[in-house]
Amino acid sequence: MRTLVWFRGKELRIADHAPLAAALGDDEVIPVFVLDPYFFAPHRARELPHRMQFLLESLVALAKNLSRLGSQLLVVPGKSVEVIPRLCEQWRVDRVVSQRWTEPFARERDRQIALALRVPFDLFEGETLLAPADCRNGAGAPYSVFTPFARTFALKANQIGKPIPAPRVLPPLPVDMTLSDAVAIPCLADLGIPHNALLPRGGEAAARDRLRAFLRGPLDNYATSRDIPSLAATSGLSPDLKFGTMSPRTIWSAILKRHASSSAQESHSVFQKQLLWREFAHATLWHRPDLLKQPFRSEFRGFPWRDDPLGWRAWIDGLTGYPLVDAAARQLYAEGFVHNRARMVAASFLAKHLLIDFRRGEAHYMKYLVDGDWANNNMGWQWSAGTGCDAQPYFRVFNPTLQGQRFDPEGAYVKRWVPELAKMPAKFIHCPSEAPKEVLKRANVVLGTTYPLPCVNHAFARDRFLHTAEAHLRVTKSRGSMKQA
């Protein structure tokens, strides 16, 4: 039997790769990656520069791993819905195997390909620990609250199984194949994207290095340190989960192994909970594919978001006058990453202080995040805006100054990413507009010139958002009552 193993952008590895493992039971294996213009057309690729750099590095690493095992990754340009059926006909393939994706556009792509193929198209799990549809309540409905979802997940955790070892050898490509369609993996220069040395390195080996470093150091203090944005206290594995350079099952298994021989079990459990939030995000998007366009909470549809070009520009450029928010904006551009605490504060600020549609912020983050994952990013933004599944209540509005003082008390995070405030004392680092003139002078800060005054007053913004939200919700509740009547 001749099997085409279709590698896509979420399973760029050979270890714990269920489709590849399944194909090894067949006679002939053909590894393929499609350069679909949906992502790889230069004008599209430049819209996600950080993710593209990580992806291309991971793709090169995958090709080297497959070559080392005796095979070859065939990289073919074109639309997947056309390329895969054509290659199957051209190479007389007996079946196609790949890993399932959660997103609605990907599910539609796979539906079209399945219809076009004349051979079986088998999709395997691997993006998540359990299949997104597996955790449901007693009535068979999906969960909308995390805690009961996590309880059901715990009851099913024994189904996760152990990671599949990487193959030691692969069969060579069939000798009768024509490879005229295959091309070289593009480099960043081909796509017009400059290299960013601050981004994490892509590839399976780099993922293993990150996991080992996390297990040796930050993991045991994760519960107490994960909210401090100035510390390297998180795993750094989110890009690897996004692109599948390491499977979630491999990480889960490593944590369990470490858990059994460590006294820092609380931190391990807190980290596992973060993996479960990822599961919850994917399960929610699986059941509600409209979430990439609509709020989870229907009463927030038609919300009167403001058109505020100056506020939007200040937020994306890191010039709002709120140092923690500004540091998050600048870290995003520089590293393709934002610490989770800073992400929450920045997202809340856009939606609630500026009353700008959270979907604009969601799209901006997807453009620049290395770990930009549709399900996770959407859940995070809807949580922060108060519109989502198991969201922060809409009436809870983060005070960015207090958040900075609590989680970045010495201002180390702010001073790194907002260097014009580097000489500000800790007392005023998160509220420079409240600093006395002599303090500002010693710090070489001229408000409105070297660093902006706050673009909006916190108390005013909070009251404005609450008034707007309460008025909108009264109207939607009234409409609902009228429909029921």
Side-chain angles (χ1 to χ4, degrees):
M1 176 176 284
R2 180 172 291 185
T3 301
L4 187 154
V5 181
W6 182 14
F7 287 90
R8 309 196 274 196
K10 289 193 177 189
E11 63 286 340
L12 301 178
R13 62 181 184 272
I14 57 173
D16 200 27
H17 193 290
L20 179 61
L24 291 179
D26 302 331
D27 299 322
E28 297 176 320
V29 176
I30 306 173
V32 170
F33 185 91
V34 179
L35 294 174
D36 196 309
Y38 186 86
F39 295 108
F40 287 93
H43 70 283
R44 295 297 297 269
R46 287 192 292 269
E47 286 298 304
L48 40 116
H50 298 151
R51 297 214 314 277
M52 189 56 65
Q53 177 173 316
F54 191 93
L55 188 156
L56 290 178
E57 289 180 0
S58 301
L59 198 56
V60 169
L62 173 65
K64 289 180 178 178
N65 284 337
L66 292 171
S67 178
R68 176 175 53 83
L69 296 178
S71 186
Q72 180 183 346
L73 181 65
L74 300 178
V75 179
V76 181
K79 294 183 178 180
S80 299
V81 293
E82 300 170 356
V83 169
I84 294 299
R86 186 184 79 239
L87 294 181
C88 286
E89 291 288 333
Q90 181 178 326
W91 294 338
R92 301 192 306 279
V93 167
D94 296 303
R95 72 162 174 161
V96 178
V97 295
S98 195
Q99 181 178 286
R100 177 203 46 75
W101 285 25
T102 299
E103 292 78 20
F105 67 85
R107 292 162 69 179
E108 173 59 21
R109 171 199 61 194
D110 289 349
R111 186 191 69 83
Q112 292 182 27
I113 290 175
L115 289 175
L117 287 173
R118 298 180 182 178
V119 297
F121 181 27
D122 298 327
L123 293 174
F124 293 77
E125 297 302 323
E127 182 181 26
T128 50
L129 292 166
L130 297 175
D134 277 1
C135 289
R136 300 170 181 262
N137 64 23
Y143 289 104
S144 59
V145 178
F146 173 75
T147 300
F149 173 88
R151 283 198 294 264
T152 297
F153 183 96
L155 296 174
K156 294 175 173 284
N158 60 350
Q159 300 175 16
I160 294 174
K162 295 181 179 180
I164 304 168
R168 295 184 177 182
V169 65
L170 291 171
L173 294 179
V175 295
D176 63 342
M177 286 178 53
T178 57
L179 306 181
S180 57
D181 288 327
V183 299
I185 297 171
C187 63
L188 288 174
D190 296 332
L191 302 174
I193 300 172
H195 182 267
N196 185 342
L198 296 180
L199 303 189
R201 184 166 54 95
E204 203 165 354
R208 289 195 298 270
D209 290 344
R210 281 186 281 273
L211 178 59
R212 280 193 292 264
F214 181 57
L215 294 174
R216 286 196 303 264
L219 174 61
D220 287 352
N221 298 307
Y222 186 79
T224 55
S225 301
R226 68 189 180 95
D227 269 327
I228 310 302
S230 62
L231 299 179
T234 56
S235 72
L237 292 168
S238 54
D240 299 302
L241 287 167
K242 154 65 185 173
F243 289 100
T245 50
M246 179 169 285
S247 72
R249 184 162 58 177
T250 297
I251 299 171
W252 183 265
S253 177
I255 299 300
L256 288 180
K257 184 177 180 180
R258 174 77 175 172
H259 191 75
S261 60
S262 173
S263 59
Q265 295 186 346
E266 180 187 358
S267 282
H268 302 175
S269 297
V270 172
F271 180 73
Q272 285 179 306
K273 186 177 180 180
Q274 298 309 301
L275 293 176
L276 295 195
W277 271 103
R278 180 178 183 273
E279 295 286 306
F280 186 44
H282 283 77
T284 302
L285 182 58
W286 180 268
H287 294 293
R288 286 284 306 273
D290 64 318
L291 290 182
L292 297 183
K293 296 180 179 179
Q294 295 289 349
F296 180 90
R297 297 177 59 183
S298 60
E299 62 267 33
F300 276 91
R301 295 186 180 184
F303 191 85
W305 303 108
R306 295 175 67 243
D307 181 19
D308 181 2
L310 292 179
W312 171 254
R313 194 75 246 174
W315 184 82
I316 66 172
D317 287 344
L319 295 171
T320 66
Y322 287 91
L324 184 60
V325 175
D326 294 339
R330 301 185 196 188
Q331 185 184 22
L332 175 65
Y333 281 129
E335 292 189 332
F337 174 79
V338 182
H339 186 277
N340 188 57
R341 174 58 53 176
R343 288 192 198 198
M344 290 190 292
V345 175
S348 175
F349 189 90
L350 182 74
K352 295 180 177 179
H353 280 69
L354 298 180
L355 270 175
I356 293 175
D357 193 335
F358 72 89
R359 286 166 290 199
R360 294 187 66 186
E362 180 185 354
H364 180 70
Y365 267 45
M366 279 299 292
K367 179 175 180 177
Y368 289 105
L369 284 174
V370 177
D371 63 1
D373 174 276
W374 289 276
N376 286 359
N377 193 46
N378 179 264
M379 175 164 279
W381 273 93
Q382 294 221 37
W383 185 92
S384 297
T387 66
C389 181
D390 199 14
Q392 173 183 242
Y394 79 88
F395 50 80
R396 185 176 299 162
V397 180
F398 279 136
N399 182 323
T401 301
L402 295 181
Q403 287 284 309
Q405 291 169 344
R406 178 180 177 186
F407 295 106
D408 188 33
E410 298 301 315
Y413 177 72
V414 164
K415 289 179 181 181
R416 179 181 179 189
W417 296 111
V418 190
E420 59 266 42
L421 299 179
K423 295 183 180 180
M424 286 291 291
K427 182 178 180 179
F428 296 106
I429 187 66
H430 293 288
C431 51
S433 63
E434 299 176 15
K437 290 182 180 179
E438 58 271 20
V439 171
L440 293 171
K441 185 176 181 180
R442 286 196 298 271
N444 296 325
V445 174
V446 180
L447 292 177
T449 302
T450 63
Y451 186 71
L453 289 159
C455 65
V456 66
N457 175 270
H458 168 69
F460 164 79
R462 181 180 183 277
D463 289 345
R464 178 177 64 179
F465 173 77
L466 292 178
H467 174 77
T468 302
E470 289 164 0
H472 174 76
L473 293 174
R474 278 197 302 270
V475 171
T476 56
K477 184 177 180 180
S478 174
R479 288 174 181 169
S481 299
M482 292 174 63
K483 287 181 179 179
Q484 291 178 0

